[in-house]
Amino acid sequence: MKAYAALAAFTCVFGLAGPARAAQILSPPLPTSIGSSGACYIRNTGTTAIHVQVSLFSNNAIVAAQYHDSCSGVALPGGQTCWVLVDHLPDGSFAACSATSGNIAKVRGTLEIRHRSPLRILVSEDLR
Amino acid sequence: MKTIIALIACSCVVGMANLSGAAQIASPTIFGSSTQTAAECVVVNGGTTNLAVTVEILDKSGAVLRSSNCDGSLAPGQFCSAGGIINAVLASCIATAVSVANLRGALTIEEPVPDGSGGTYPSPIRSSPLR
């Protein structure tokens, strides 16, 4: 009977969790202005390298040539930061940033909406 | 022992039940000065399935100033907003959906910025997340 109780508890706890897999953190969306740029900084707070897939996206099209991604395709060492920069976000739109990793608990991120010239931060929000 | 098993099963079911039903994320109330009269509350669906979402901007008394039902359904990766000139000084935002686990939102206050041609355009000056 104890075995049944243990099995029931195990199923309850781990049945909901499922196998380990890539998980996501996501920023709140922020509005852009006229002449806005965007930055999403991702930091690996752990001590071992991890792979992180980062996306800075909008409800309107971002020109591929203005999208610069230092995160994808390489391992991010412990304590290091990578980023996605967008030179020109669509005017009067919305933008958000997501990061996906197999070890998302160690990942921190922030999205910034900036005015391009003169360069200054308008608003920012953390990924969670 | 049967009681223990029943208790575990009950806890499991009740725990799962809490995941269903309408849920809400909300911002704190934030302040805009007399020139910072525009507000925008934006949500994004970070999940993988469509979500029925309602977004509302409220005044200090909880009265609805602006709202959107996101056209009935918000697709994965899509944004939805409510906003405009609210002249409220104090404003907050709530978003309601069946599940808010993958929903993110922020309330942003905007102010007019000279465009160099005698006009202005809105520029965000501060934001606060919905949680």
Side-chain angles (χ1 to χ4, degrees), chain A residues 32-87:
Chain A
T32 69
S33 185
I34 294 176
S36 297
S37 59
C40 188
Y41 291 102
I42 301 297
R43 180 169 182 257
N44 175 8
T45 67
T47 55
T48 58
I50 58 175
H51 282 88
V52 187
Q53 191 73 33
V54 182
S55 176
L56 204 171
F57 59 102
S58 171
N59 59 321
N60 288 306
I62 293 173
V63 177
Q66 297 181 339
Y67 192 95
H68 312 285
D69 181 356
S70 78
C71 301
S72 297
V74 295
L76 184 61
Q80 298 294 304
T81 299
C82 69
W83 51 82
V84 169
L85 302 175
V86 176
D87 299 331

Side-chain angles (χ1 to χ4, degrees), chain B residues 27-45:
Chain B
S27 78
T29 298
I30 60 176
F31 174 84
S33 75
S34 59
T35 60
Q36 298 160 350
T37 55
E40 190 96 47
C41 188
V42 193
V43 297
V44 64
N45 178 6

Side-chain angles (χ1 to χ4, degrees), chain A residues 1-11, chain B residues 1 4-5 8:
Chain A
M1 194 56 80
K2 283 182 180 174
Y4 287 129
L7 186 62
F10 181 86
T11 304
Chain B
M1 189 57 73
I4 294 173
I5 294 173
I8 292 170

